[in-house]
Amino acid sequence: MPVITYRDALGQGLREEMQRDDRVFLMGEEVAVYQGAYKVSKGFLQEFGEMRVVDTPITELGFAGVGVGAAMVGLRPVIEFMTWNFALLAIDQVVNVAAKTLYMSGGQFKMPLVFRGPNGAALQLAAQHSQAWESWLAHIPGLKVVAPGTPYDAKGLIKAAVRDDNPVIVLEGEMLYNTKGEVPDEDYIVPIGKADLKREGDHCSIITHGKMVLVAMQVADTLAKEGINVDVVDLRTVRPMDVEAITASVRKTNRAVLLEEGWEIAGIGAQVVDYIQRECFDDLDAPVVRVHQADVPMPYAKSLEKAAKPDAAKTIAAVKKVMYID
Amino acid sequence: MAKKKSDNGATATATADNQKADAARGDADLRKEFLRSMLLQRRFEERCAEAYALGKIGGFCHLYIGQEAVSTGTLSLLRPDDYIITTYRDHGQALARGMSPRAVMAELFGRKDGVSGGKGGSMHLFDKATNFLGGHGIVGGHVPIATGVGFAIKYRGGDQVCICFMGESVVNTGAFHEALNMAGLWKLPVVYIIENNRYGMGTALERASAIHDIYERGAAYNMPRAQCDGQDVFEVRRAVAEAIERARTEKVPTLLEIRTYRFMGHSMSDAVSGTYRSKAELEEHLKRDPIILLRAAMHDAGEIDDAWMAKLDEDIKKEVQDAWDFADQSPEPPLEALWEDVLVDTTSDDVEASKAAASA
């Protein structure tokens, strides 16, 4: 099987969808002539032309609305935000229009569109460019929210997102674009709403999504050398969440660590904890522990940034805590 | 008629202008239709005020009284396949577009037979059958959507147009600027119509905008622009017809400022004259009631008489009463509806089937 980058997996998935359906177009800042700020759309302008690969002015609110309008009348827009940090300018279109029009119109107007772009912290980009938005977006009924952590899932989920008749948020990992993995050449879909058990073990469940999947896999490798075997449950979709996958794992291991990039308060992990206490109250051998970003804006200084971010060491400590080791 | 380069150039232009004015006026039958359309909106809104007072309509409710020539004049020029998108002050435009008064009233009453099954209410009227893309509640938020509809028309190579109604306070939002810039840049077939009714809620235009001839903002987007009297339905039609023609044939957007006046308060919680405008000002504007102006013109021309007018009013009152009765008898939405239409369970896995479903 070919081994390609997460970036190319996303590009391959999008390209295949644009080839199979002429209603699909890509719009955003620098997607065409510049070939994509992160090169996901490299070669797209040449292949599909300027009507289907559209450079916009720097105007997130405006072009998110263009996507909404085009979707309302039958096109299938893929709207790229250069990063989700910039999408805050467009949040009215995402939350007030894309997510709600089907409901407000009594089912008359579907909203088949994708909002996508990198999410979460990169390296020393400071407070305004290092944020994980999934809990904000997952809060909104009417949206689906996916966060692929591997190249395989990136291709399968972007394709599923484009084909879905609902608005789908695709949170890509800025630090994942260069990571590699096996990705089939052929057409396949990763179903939205299905988690994936990325590693099997009996001692503890690490439940995570997006970029943190990579961290969880490193943690699993490290702990395996110490004789600790963990389940790594990759949610892949944070709305709707695969509660069955969460509960199946926790019922097996009786211990859970929730790992996410975002902040603690009202984070994705808080919701997972709620599902666990509802469904697995009698299965738990220890209180659940959450690993997340420190409850501060992201600092610039390298040392402070490291201290703020969730990482492998903090996750290992959390696993050991729920296992009452040390 | 095209302008001719000849000694008669000025005459030819004047002739073309006259022809446009004649087309805007239509024939006597059409003028009767305008009167009917405007009076339907007026009587409908009056009954909405009554229903609101009785608690049959809840939430926010914004009446269109005084502005009827804008909706009637504009929408009388549209084809069935053209698109309309608007603000929360949307009842009049929905009726002028031909949505059923019964279904609109039932929506306002929050009933099952409303256009949106009672889930949208006064501010969110939607109707796929007439390409009525909503009733939007966030000031400025719908303007980029209109640009997106224009983009889709261009994408498909169609010759439809999209009409985007907005109040004058929208021009101060970022969304307006972003949307019009892209439409001007990409040459999209959208007619942006500012219904300048002088007040954004209670704040006068002069207290909100750095310029007061707000159609001039079109210059910033390299966009044809014009201003017209919104109390004269013929004037509205003349100005909008030109903009629609330009959008349909040249694919060029237009910014139109139509000057009108809101005879009622901003919403049902705002007294008619309010603290922000004087009674004298309101009374001055009431003299230019668009319905009275059209009725007088037709009366003077001998096209209608008092008996005809009385009959029209009686018929319309009956029609609105019928809408009220229908809404009142329509059941509440079933509780299952709470959970419906949050998401659909369809995909485009089969592209051809998906296209067929989308155009159905």
Side-chain angles (χ1 to χ4, degrees):
Chain A
M1 198 184 290
V3 173
I4 64 173
T5 61
Y6 184 97
R7 171 198 331 276
D8 290 340
L10 283 167
Q12 204 179 93
L14 266 178
R15 174 180 277 115
E16 287 175 12
E17 292 309 301
M18 288 179 70
Q19 287 166 344
R20 68 188 286 280
D21 190 339
D22 59 13
R23 296 170 298 175
V24 180
F25 68 91
L26 176 66
M27 175 177 277
E29 294 154 5
E30 311 292 0
V31 298
V33 174
Y34 194 88
Q35 307 282 300
Y38 292 91
K39 307 299 176 208
V40 169
S41 54
K42 194 175 172 193
F44 277 40
L45 175 63
Q46 289 70 19
E47 181 173 350
F48 298 107
E50 61 186 14
M51 202 66 224
R52 296 187 69 198
V53 187
V54 187
D55 277 332
T56 66
I58 298 176
T59 179
E60 280 80 11
L61 166 56
F63 68 74
V66 169
V68 165
M72 277 187 87
V73 297
L75 298 185
R76 304 183 73 85
V78 177
I79 300 299
E80 175 174 314
F81 294 121
M82 192 182 289
T83 93
W84 275 94
N85 299 292
F86 308 159
L88 286 206
L89 290 162
I91 211 72
D92 176 55
Q93 293 298 329
V94 177
V95 172
N96 271 323
V97 196
K100 298 189 171 98
T101 296
L102 181 74
Y103 199 81
M104 292 195 304
S105 70
Q108 294 183 79
F109 288 96
K110 287 185 200 174
M111 200 62 75
L113 88 165
V114 173
F115 292 113
R116 53 162 287 269
N119 173 60
L123 295 172
Q124 286 193 277
L125 298 183
Q128 292 181 338
H129 286 73
S130 310
Q131 305 172 90
W133 295 109
E134 48 267 50
S135 69
W136 280 44
L137 295 157
H139 194 61
I140 308 299
L143 297 179
K144 294 183 177 183
V145 185
V146 304
T150 66
Y152 179 91
D153 289 338
K155 180 177 171 184
L157 281 169
I158 192 84
K159 286 169 67 74
V162 173
R163 292 187 197 184
D164 204 289
D165 280 345
N166 300 289
V168 183
I169 306 293
V170 181
L171 302 170
E172 299 162 9
E174 187 165 345
M175 297 300 290
L176 292 177
Y177 285 127
N178 284 331
T179 61
K180 289 185 174 176
E182 291 190 334
V183 176
D185 270 336
E186 69 258 26
D187 183 24
Y188 69 92
I189 290 287
V190 168
I192 294 172
K194 282 282 176 206
D196 183 39
L197 190 57
K198 288 253 181 329
R199 180 70 64 94
E200 283 200 60
D202 298 330
H203 297 136
C204 176
S205 303
I206 300 178
I207 301 164
T208 189
H209 63 273
K211 184 168 82 188
M212 290 296 110
V213 171
L214 212 60
V215 173
M217 297 303 278
Q218 290 163 8
V219 166
D221 287 342
T222 305
L223 288 174
K225 290 175 193 151
E226 299 179 32
I228 300 169
N229 298 310
V230 297
D231 256 10
V232 175
V233 179
D234 175 3
L235 294 171
R236 300 198 292 196
T237 299
V238 294
R239 182 186 186 95
M241 216 179 273
D242 188 346
V243 181
E244 272 180 36
I246 296 166
T247 56
S249 177
V250 174
R251 282 184 185 137
K252 180 179 72 175
T253 64
N254 312 112
R255 298 166 202 276
V257 167
L258 313 183
L259 170 60
E260 68 184 306
E261 268 199 283
W263 290 292
E264 176 181 16
I265 311 268
I268 295 295
Q271 184 59 39
V272 177
V273 168
D274 182 53
Y275 288 135
I276 292 173
Q277 66 84 21
R278 264 193 263 173
E279 303 291 330
C280 309
F281 189 78
D282 293 325
D283 298 292
L284 287 176
D285 286 344
V288 174
V289 172
R290 294 177 58 197
V291 183
H292 43 74
Q293 188 190 318
D295 197 20
V296 296
M298 187 66 84
Y300 166 73
K302 212 171 193 171
S303 54
L304 294 179
E305 187 190 50
K306 185 176 185 324
K309 282 176 169 177
D311 61 14
K314 290 170 188 170
T315 309
I316 288 169
V319 171
K320 290 186 172 173
K321 186 172 181 189
V322 299
M323 292 185 66
Y324 300 112
I325 297 171
D326 297 345
Chain B
M1 185 189 279
K3 287 186 188 178
K4 287 178 187 165
K5 279 188 183 174
S6 70
D7 294 340
N8 295 331
T11 316
T13 305
T15 308
D17 286 348
N18 286 339
Q19 283 180 344
K20 280 179 186 169
D22 284 348
R25 290 175 59 82
D27 60 19
D29 283 345
L30 197 57
R31 287 192 281 277
K32 286 177 182 171
E33 274 308 304
F34 300 156
L35 203 46
R36 205 197 109 69
S37 166
M38 287 160 66
L39 197 60
L40 173 64
Q41 296 171 61
R42 179 69 58 90
R43 296 291 176 245
F44 188 93
E45 294 291 61
E46 287 165 355
R47 295 305 301 278
C48 285
E50 186 186 335
Y52 195 89
L54 292 171
K56 289 181 182 293
I57 298 175
F60 293 141
C61 183
H62 311 84
L63 303 181
Y64 197 67
I65 292 175
Q67 305 180 207
E68 296 93 341
V70 182
S71 55
T72 294
T74 301
L75 299 177
S76 64
L77 294 160
L78 287 197
R79 294 195 326 218
D81 62 340
D82 289 329
Y83 297 99
I84 302 114
I85 188 162
T86 187
T87 71
Y88 45 79
R89 197 178 301 283
D90 56 356
H91 311 170
Q93 291 150 359
L95 296 174
R97 180 55 172 172
M99 282 163 69
S100 135
R102 284 180 160 197
V104 175
M105 192 66 91
E107 187 62 33
L108 306 189
F109 278 33
R111 302 300 173 89
K112 179 174 174 290
D113 297 307
V115 276
S116 300
K119 282 175 162 176
S122 165
M123 296 185 284
H124 307 299
L125 298 173
F126 287 85
D127 183 33
K128 198 161 187 186
T130 56
N131 282 345
F132 198 89
L133 304 175
H136 293 263
I138 309 296
V139 171
H142 70 295
V143 187
I145 303 172
T147 301
V149 174
F151 178 85
I153 294 168
K154 183 176 178 182
Y155 188 95
R156 288 193 287 236
D159 71 342
Q160 299 132 297
V161 301
C162 179
I163 300 287
C164 178
F165 291 108
M166 68 191 89
E168 82 291 337
S169 60
V170 167
V171 305
N172 303 313
T173 67
F176 171 87
H177 165 65
E178 297 191 15
L180 269 71
N181 180 55
M182 280 185 285
L185 178 69
W186 294 336
K187 306 290 180 219
L188 303 178
V190 184
V191 180
Y192 299 94
I193 294 182
I194 302 166
E195 293 193 72
N196 179 0
N197 68 13
R198 302 271 299 107
Y199 294 93
M201 206 166 160
T203 303
L205 169 70
E206 293 75 13
R207 297 177 57 224
S209 174
I211 63 167
H212 303 157
D213 282 319
I214 47 181
Y215 71 102
E216 289 292 7
R217 288 185 185 235
Y221 316 112
N222 191 25
M223 198 179 282
R225 52 203 177 274
Q227 193 178 47
C228 81
D229 174 12
Q231 304 312 87
D232 177 342
V233 69
F234 304 138
E235 261 302 286
V236 171
R237 275 173 52 88
R238 190 195 49 73
V240 176
E242 210 165 285
I244 287 178
E245 176 69 10
R246 194 181 292 126
R248 217 183 284 293
T249 60
E250 299 168 42
K251 313 297 175 199
V252 172
T254 298
L255 178 63
L256 268 185
E257 177 191 351
I258 302 185
R259 294 206 153 186
T260 181
Y261 198 79
R262 194 184 72 213
F263 290 177
M264 308 292 283
H266 165 71
S267 69
M268 302 312 294
S269 61
D270 176 24
V272 171
S273 61
T275 55
Y276 52 87
R277 61 182 182 183
S278 67
K279 211 172 170 189
E281 178 190 309
L282 176 63
E283 281 167 0
E284 198 53 35
H285 281 279
L286 288 172
K287 291 177 189 162
R288 299 203 69 245
D289 181 321
I291 296 175
I292 291 174
L293 292 183
L294 178 60
R295 190 181 66 191
M298 292 176 70
H299 199 276
D300 291 351
E303 293 167 2
I304 57 172
D305 57 22
D306 289 345
W308 185 90
M309 194 64 205
K311 171 80 165 55
L312 177 69
D313 202 20
E314 190 187 330
D315 289 348
I316 285 172
K317 281 179 176 164
K318 276 185 195 156
E319 188 178 357
V320 176
Q321 183 63 47
D322 170 73
W324 176 300
D325 293 341
F326 174 83
D328 218 18
Q329 285 155 25
S330 173
E332 304 274 344
L335 275 181
E336 310 88 84
L338 177 66
W339 302 102
E340 291 166 359
D341 303 322
V342 179
L343 296 169
V344 289
D345 58 5
T346 53
T347 69
S348 64
D349 285 337
D350 181 335
V351 174
E352 292 314 314
S354 165
K355 284 183 179 178
S359 60

